[in-house]
């Protein structure tokens, strides 16, 4: 395993203390950008969602319960299962854990607050974070909330409680830490991993970057990459790193947690032919904002000309999933999607913060969206695409092709063309800077 301990990382780049978080994007219906946390008392690991769209870090404690069966808000259903041991962290087994302290917090996620995780404890411990490329980072004194209950808004009309719905075993929020009297901003509840690093002095500023390496050979293979806390690795993208506007909290319809920019212009490119897909920007509050969210499984756009989008891309709405707000489909097996990313791709064009500068264009090959296979598509030989037409969301697929950088203190965001670093290349500390150039 490739070691990336904090002390060795600091020595390699003494002027810029950073923390390297090894990342994966695995194949599967519930997969998002993630890291693996190795438990301090065993060789077991838990997949942790690395979430730009939230701010807090929690894990399940022993004997935690998942509940479902009703789809109303805060309604307890009839279905209960115990979270399996594979998704549980037990601080009582760790020699490096502090005493568990009191903590009462509800963490809500998803459209319509579809998942609510209740925590009732907090603890500090030393954790090791790894990915499939073999990188390993040890972070001491990490504060984590302990969740004991999850309620999902999933209707079970027959009361059969089968199948058991999927859910995250752990989420590590990577959005900005907020402490504000502005009522339009939701203050961070905590524990917040990034703020934890800052308080410990393991990083010196609230800067971060995220990138993935070159695409793996097969659609179902795992993408590997890195999240760098405290710095920006300038060797992990091609072309310019362009600052883009941030959407003010007053212009965000659904709260201010996370990173928002303005919805990009869209063009579909196939065999060199460009088709512009118009974006309706008449409602600036809802249609113009776009969240960059590594904790989302899909990318999305709205409002656009849906018929035009489907016609030019060749994507379809599955008749068994007959809503444009659901995942779209490639109407053929996945291996028929062009393998050459330059032959068929969506081009996202983001306006630069500097009005005199050229926009930053991120090219998304259609194959980048094939990250799962829904049974309703498999039945008719179609390929599920993690893209929908409902709201603007730049999720996990976007992360595979876009280099992301943020400076929370300066309220700056920047994007570049990613997906170009060699697989398993980690961080090049000789090219790390502490601010967006």
């Amino acid at each position: 395993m490739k070691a990336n301990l904090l002390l060795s990382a600091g020595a390699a780049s003494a002027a810029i203390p950073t923390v390297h978080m090894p990342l994966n994007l695995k194949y599967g219906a519930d997969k998002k950008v993630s890291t693996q946390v190795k438990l301090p008392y065993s060789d077991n690991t838990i997949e942790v969602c690395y979430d730009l769209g939230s701010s807090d870090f929690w894990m399940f404690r022993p004997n935690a319960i998942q509940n479902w069966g009703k789809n109303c808000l805060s309604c307890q259903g009839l279905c209960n299962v115990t979270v399996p041991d594979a998704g549980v962290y037990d601080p009582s087994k760790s020699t490096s854990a502090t005493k568990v302290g009191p903590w009462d917090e509800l963490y809500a996620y998803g459209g319509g607050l579809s998942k609510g995780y209740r925590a009732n404890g907090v603890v500090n411990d030393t954790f090791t974070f790894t990915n499939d490329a073999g990188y390993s980072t040890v972070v001491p004194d990490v504060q984590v909330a302990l969740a004991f209950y999850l309620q999902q808004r999933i209707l079970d009309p027959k009361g059969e409680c089968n199948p058991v719905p999927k859910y995250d075993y752990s989420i590590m929020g990577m959005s900005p830490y907020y402490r504000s009297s502005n009522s339009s901003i939701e203050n961070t509840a905590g524990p917040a991993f990034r703020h934890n690093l800052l308080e410990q002095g393991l990083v010196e500023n609230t800067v971060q970057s995220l990138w993935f390496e070159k695409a793996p050979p097969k659609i179902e293979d795992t993408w590997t990459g890195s999240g760098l806390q405290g710095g920006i690795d300038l060797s992990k993208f091609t072309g310019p790193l362009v600052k883009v506007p941030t959407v003010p909290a007053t212009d965000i319809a659904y709260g201010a947690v996370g990173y928002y920019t303005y919805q990009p212009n869209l063009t579909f490119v196939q065999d060199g032919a460009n088709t512009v897909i118009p974006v309706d920007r008449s409602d600036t509050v809802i249609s113009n904002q776009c969240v960059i969210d590594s904790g989302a499984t899909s990318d999305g756009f709205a409002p656009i000309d849906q018929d035009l989008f489907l016609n030019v891309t060749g994507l379809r709405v599955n008749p068994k999933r007959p809503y444009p707000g659901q995942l779209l489909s490639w109407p053929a097996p996945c291996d028929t999607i062009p393998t050459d990313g330059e032959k068929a791709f969506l081009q996202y064009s983001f306006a630069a913060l500097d009005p005199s500068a050229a926009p930053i264009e991120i090219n998304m090959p259609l194959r980048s969206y094939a990250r799962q296979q829904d049974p309703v598509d498999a039945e008719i030989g179609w390929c599920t695409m993690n893209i929908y037409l409902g709201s603007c969301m730049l999720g996990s697929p976007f992360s595979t092709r876009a280099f992301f950088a943020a400076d929370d203190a300066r309220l700056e965001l920047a994007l570049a063309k990613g997906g170009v670093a060699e697989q398993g290349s980690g961080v090049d500390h000789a090219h790390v800077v502490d601010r967006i150039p």
Side-chain angles (χ1 to χ4, degrees):
M1 180 171 285
K2 302 165 187 174
N4 188 43
L5 303 182
L6 293 183
L7 292 179
S8 62
S13 182
I16 305 175
T18 59
V19 175
H20 172 216
M21 298 295 289
L23 301 180
N24 291 319
L25 177 55
K26 298 185 177 184
Y27 181 85
D30 58 340
K31 299 305 181 183
K32 309 157 187 174
V33 175
S34 65
T35 185
Q36 298 291 129
V37 60
K38 183 177 178 294
L39 297 177
Y41 48 84
S42 75
D43 290 331
N44 294 338
T45 61
I46 295 175
E47 187 172 355
V48 180
C49 174
Y50 189 90
D51 186 12
L52 290 175
S54 66
S55 58
D56 303 326
F57 180 30
W58 61 263
M59 299 172 72
F60 278 116
R61 67 189 313 165
N63 301 313
I65 296 295
Q66 185 210 176
N67 172 269
W68 77 100
K70 293 187 178 180
N71 62 3
C72 48
L73 187 63
S74 300
C75 298
Q76 190 170 31
L78 297 175
C79 304
N80 293 284
V81 295
T82 302
V83 175
D85 290 343
V88 167
Y89 157 63
D90 186 351
S92 70
K93 296 181 179 179
S94 174
T95 59
S96 54
T98 62
K99 182 179 178 180
V100 175
W103 187 260
D104 182 13
E105 190 61 53
L106 173 66
Y107 301 114
Y109 303 91
L113 304 180
S114 60
K115 294 181 177 67
Y117 295 82
R118 173 70 71 179
N120 64 352
V122 66
V123 68
N124 287 44
D125 207 344
T126 295
F127 293 105
T128 301
F129 300 95
T130 68
N131 73 347
D132 285 14
Y135 278 93
S136 175
T137 295
V138 179
V139 186
D141 202 29
V142 176
Q143 189 178 60
V144 58
L146 302 175
F148 72 98
Y149 182 76
L150 161 63
Q151 189 173 99
Q152 295 205 67
R153 297 180 65 186
I154 298 176
L155 181 65
D156 189 332
K158 296 182 180 181
E160 296 176 347
C161 299
N162 187 44
V164 177
K166 293 184 177 181
Y167 53 95
D168 291 297
Y169 286 154
S170 175
I171 293 178
M172 175 180 281
M174 308 307 293
S175 69
Y177 179 86
Y178 289 117
R179 275 293 177 269
S180 173
S181 58
N182 185 340
S183 60
S184 66
I185 295 178
E186 181 178 340
N187 281 329
T188 304
F193 179 76
R194 295 181 62 212
H195 192 66
N196 194 182
L197 298 180
L198 190 67
E199 288 182 316
Q200 292 186 64
L202 297 178
V203 300
E204 291 184 351
N205 53 60
T206 52
V207 167
Q208 67 171 319
S209 50
L210 187 156
W211 66 91
F212 274 86
E213 296 155 352
K214 290 181 178 179
K218 299 178 181 178
I219 283 178
E220 64 270 18
D221 289 344
T222 296
W223 288 71
T224 56
S226 298
L228 189 63
Q229 295 300 319
I232 300 165
D233 188 341
L234 300 180
S235 71
K236 304 305 180 183
F237 56 86
T238 186
L241 179 62
V242 178
K243 292 179 183 178
V244 297
T246 58
V247 177
T250 53
D251 290 345
I252 297 173
Y254 304 111
V257 177
Y259 295 98
Y260 290 79
T261 187
Y262 294 99
Q263 184 164 187
N265 291 324
L266 297 177
T267 301
F268 185 68
V269 181
Q270 186 163 25
D271 297 325
N274 295 7
T275 303
V276 174
I277 302 172
V279 177
D280 182 357
R281 302 186 186 279
S282 57
D283 185 336
T284 59
V285 173
I286 295 176
S287 66
N288 220 6
Q289 66 184 30
C290 206
V291 61
I292 301 174
D293 188 0
S294 58
T297 58
S298 308
D299 289 2
F301 307 102
I304 60 175
D305 186 327
Q306 296 183 359
D307 290 338
L308 174 63
F309 184 92
L310 296 175
N311 287 338
V312 300
T313 62
L315 301 180
R316 295 292 179 263
V317 177
N318 190 301
K320 292 187 178 181
R321 206 174 46 216
Y323 304 103
Q326 300 293 324
L327 295 175
L328 300 180
S329 308
W330 175 260
C334 294
D335 59 10
T336 65
I337 303 172
T339 56
D340 184 348
E342 297 305 310
K343 284 192 173 182
F345 61 88
L346 273 169
Q347 183 178 84
Y348 306 170
S349 181
F350 297 86
L353 181 62
D354 180 353
S356 66
I360 176 63
E361 295 175 343
I362 308 294
N363 296 340
M364 294 292 300
L366 287 184
R367 284 178 74 92
S368 296
Y369 297 111
R371 298 303 304 155
Q372 60 167 298
Q373 182 66 317
D374 192 304
V376 302
D377 287 327
E379 288 175 7
I380 57 177
W382 286 11
C383 181
T384 305
M385 305 294 278
N386 277 24
I387 186 169
Y388 66 96
L389 305 178
S391 62
C392 193
M393 173 86 71
L394 302 172
S396 293
F398 180 75
S399 299
T400 66
R401 295 290 178 171
F403 180 95
F404 166 86
D407 184 331
D408 296 348
R410 297 181 178 180
L411 301 179
E412 292 180 343
L413 293 180
L415 297 172
K417 293 182 179 180
V420 298
E422 294 299 324
Q423 291 182 1
S425 58
V427 179
D428 183 350
H429 290 281
H431 290 89
V432 171
V433 297
D434 63 353
R435 297 290 181 187
I436 300 174

